[in-house]
Amino acid sequence: MRMYDIIVKKREGNALSEEEIKFFIEGYTSGEIPDYQASALAMALYFQGMNGKETATLTQAMVDSGETIDLSEIEGQIVDKHSTGGVGDKVTFIVGPLVASVGVPVAKMSGRGLGHTGGTIDKLEAIAGFTTEITKEEFIDNVNKHKLAVAGQTGNLAPADKKLYALRDVTGTVNSLPLIASSIMSKKLASGADSIVLDVKTGSGAFMKTLEDSEALAREMVTIGNELGKNTVAVISDMNQPLGFEVGNANEIREAAEILLGSNVEDLRELSLEISSHMCVLAGAFADPAEARRALEENISNGKAHAKLKEFIEAQHGDGAMIDDLSQLPQASYHVEVQASKSGYVSEIDAESIGVAAMYLGAGRQTKEDKIDHSVGITLKKKIGDKVEEGEALVVLHSNTGNPEDSIAKVEEAYTISSKETKSPTLIHNIIK
Ligand code: URA
């Protein structure tokens, strides 16, 4: 078999066979196929696409290129959840304990973040002592005992994806549906859960800006999951503004914990309950999402979900007192208001600019080497649809410098105030099974 023939076959719009896809992935991972041929194939794939079978084969080949995590020692049907990424997205810290509180095991592999705010691990590290550097035995033990554990992505999961993604990044071939879907799903499949709920974001602050593209990506990923034997459901949720009111690290943990204590931040609570319900149904714990939702809501009211968060934090060496008393989480020294320059209604909040403003404060990394400041962040005082008077606060910046000029400018850029009344955006656009 020759790589040249595979490139030409795809360039002409033909479907690749299983052998050809495996040949490419194995050869590229081992270094036998050079970057220039892999780039040519990526570009052919970008223009010609892949059918469902080809995409599933590509995903499996990327899974097989490295280690897979064996979670068979965990009792019960394990569920995982993955978000395609958004600003203020702290849903994991809510759904993890919530789902675990009804007895469904959640075993999560997570990463750190580059840009905007931190990733799941960075945010959890706002809690003193908390670590995701636990052994595989500890991870499995914790899931069996507490029904929830979060570990850092270790070892060599889907190395073919790592190499191919780096190549796509510099060859203009990231934005291909089958390549994105197989990239995300290969990492999820290698991390061993039985079922996966995908939170596919849509809107100005999302990877996919239009509902049509987000639905197409979701369909592609659900097909891959189901073809490869994992129950998969995708929730398409709005990212035309940050989720909830808090953006940062410690303040996102605080807002998540407050939801588990019964606070009603509408979009955040609703999305978390929706995702949790689907996780419970996929795990076979409840017959339908409505029944699951009743049990989950009950565990918020009776305090079991919040107690589970503390139990999980302590099991991973974190300071549980910070969860009992959220004011003990790291706090910044200065709290600076950014005020509205005119009266009207908030019609747009560019989530990405809010994320960048938080990064300028130190909540995220601009380079891999940057250290995160867990105490800084942004509290939104106004969201889309809210009425605002000139001089009223749009956000409060929690900063460790007195005059965070760059962040102020970025927030001013993010908000659009219009004279016309605006409705708040629909939160859940679609569920794809
Ligand atoms: N995230 C991934 O993991 N892979 C992609 O291709 C795009 C986003």
Side-chain angles (χ1 to χ4, degrees):
M1 203 175 288
R2 288 197 317 157
M3 186 59 191
Y4 174 87
D5 298 325
I6 296 175
I7 296 167
V8 171
K9 188 173 176 184
K10 184 45 78 180
R11 188 195 69 195
E12 298 306 310
N14 299 307
L16 300 179
S17 70
E18 192 173 331
E19 291 68 34
E20 287 162 336
I21 292 171
K22 282 187 182 163
F23 175 84
F24 162 58
I25 289 298
E26 283 166 16
Y28 187 52
T29 313
S30 69
E32 278 156 58
I33 292 171
D35 278 347
Y36 56 82
Q37 285 190 312
S39 315
L41 182 62
M43 191 57 86
L45 289 169
Y46 177 89
F47 282 112
Q48 298 292 2
M50 287 181 122
N51 64 34
K53 185 161 183 301
E54 286 176 286
T55 312
T57 305
L58 175 65
T59 309
Q60 187 63 54
M62 294 204 289
V63 172
D64 295 341
S65 70
E67 286 171 36
T68 50
I69 313 246
D70 178 7
L71 298 177
S72 57
E73 285 172 52
I74 294 175
E75 299 136 24
Q77 282 275 314
I78 308 152
V79 281
D80 194 359
K81 155 278 151 189
H82 177 81
S83 157
T84 57
V87 178
D89 186 359
K90 68 281 287 174
V91 167
T92 292
F93 315 121
I94 302 168
V95 305
L98 189 51
V99 170
S101 77
V102 296
V104 172
V106 182
K108 187 141 184 55
M109 298 278 160
S110 289
R112 294 182 188 276
L114 188 62
H116 297 174
T117 49
T120 299
I121 296 179
D122 299 305
K123 291 176 190 177
L124 284 166
E125 284 175 353
I127 302 160
F130 184 91
T131 181
T132 52
E133 283 172 28
I134 52 178
T135 61
K136 189 179 166 218
E137 289 67 36
E138 231 178 323
F139 181 68
I140 289 176
D141 216 43
N142 280 1
V143 182
N144 277 333
K145 251 195 235 147
H146 309 290
K147 303 291 170 205
L148 172 61
V150 176
Q153 245 159 37
T154 53
N156 201 17
L157 296 189
D161 170 63
K162 203 168 177 187
K163 202 167 168 191
L164 190 56
Y165 187 72
L167 185 78
R168 287 165 53 213
D169 210 18
V170 293
T171 55
T173 50
V174 166
N175 251 340
S176 140
L177 275 187
L179 291 179
I180 297 170
S182 56
S183 165
I184 294 174
M185 290 303 284
S186 66
K187 285 170 284 207
K188 284 285 113 187
L189 294 167
S191 30
D194 301 305
S195 317
I196 303 158
V197 176
L198 300 162
D199 181 6
V200 179
K201 304 288 188 192
T202 190
S204 64
F207 197 56
M208 293 289 168
K209 308 286 181 208
T210 68
L211 183 56
E212 202 184 350
D213 284 349
S214 307
E215 285 179 343
L217 176 63
R219 248 179 243 112
E220 195 97 35
M221 291 197 287
V222 168
T223 306
I224 294 172
N226 292 337
E227 287 248 338
L228 300 180
K230 307 281 178 184
N231 300 316
T232 310
V233 168
V235 175
I236 316 269
S237 72
D238 195 75
M239 190 33 73
N240 281 302
Q241 61 181 339
L243 189 60
F245 290 102
E246 302 291 343
V247 179
N249 293 281
N251 54 338
E252 289 196 27
I253 295 285
R254 193 177 304 119
E255 189 175 37
E258 281 167 355
I259 292 282
L260 294 174
L261 285 168
S263 107
N264 189 17
V265 174
E266 209 177 312
D267 56 353
L268 183 57
R269 179 181 157 102
E270 181 54 34
L271 181 59
S272 302
L273 281 166
E274 183 74 24
I275 290 173
S276 301
S277 306
H278 289 289
M279 287 168 79
C280 291
V281 171
L282 286 192
F286 294 93
D288 62 71
E291 194 189 318
R293 193 183 171 112
R294 281 192 289 279
L296 295 161
E297 283 178 336
E298 172 68 26
N299 275 8
I300 292 179
S301 310
N302 62 22
K304 285 188 181 164
H306 182 257
K308 183 58 80 179
L309 173 65
K310 183 179 172 195
E311 180 186 326
F312 147 69
I313 295 298
E314 288 183 335
Q316 293 194 216
H317 316 287
D319 181 0
M322 286 190 169
I323 302 301
D324 282 337
D325 174 8
L326 297 168
S327 69
Q328 287 188 34
L329 283 162
Q331 307 242 15
S333 312
Y334 300 93
H335 306 281
V336 181
E337 280 188 5
V338 181
Q339 294 164 348
S341 57
K342 61 177 182 183
S343 301
Y345 296 89
V346 176
S347 58
E348 275 175 54
I349 306 174
D350 181 52
E352 224 160 282
S353 296
I354 297 289
V356 172
M359 182 181 71
Y360 289 162
L361 294 172
R365 294 183 187 84
Q366 304 196 49
T367 70
K368 266 200 262 181
E369 290 70 36
D370 285 353
K371 258 184 88 81
I372 283 203
D373 183 344
H374 292 109
S375 68
V376 300
I378 299 177
T379 302
L380 276 70
K381 293 292 183 187
K382 296 287 174 187
K383 294 198 57 172
I384 295 178
D386 287 349
K387 195 167 187 300
V388 59
E389 300 297 334
E390 185 183 335
E392 237 189 316
L394 295 173
V395 310
V396 176
L397 303 175
H398 308 290
S399 168
N400 281 322
T401 57
N403 184 18
E405 283 176 340
D406 292 353
S407 300
I408 293 172
K410 219 50 200 166
V411 169
E412 284 170 346
E413 207 180 294
Y415 271 82
T416 307
I417 297 171
S418 115
S419 55
K420 274 209 297 250
E421 244 180 274
T422 312
K423 279 210 323 222
S424 84
T426 302
L427 175 67
I428 295 169
H429 294 277
N430 205 349
I431 309 288
I432 298 194
K433 295 184 186 176

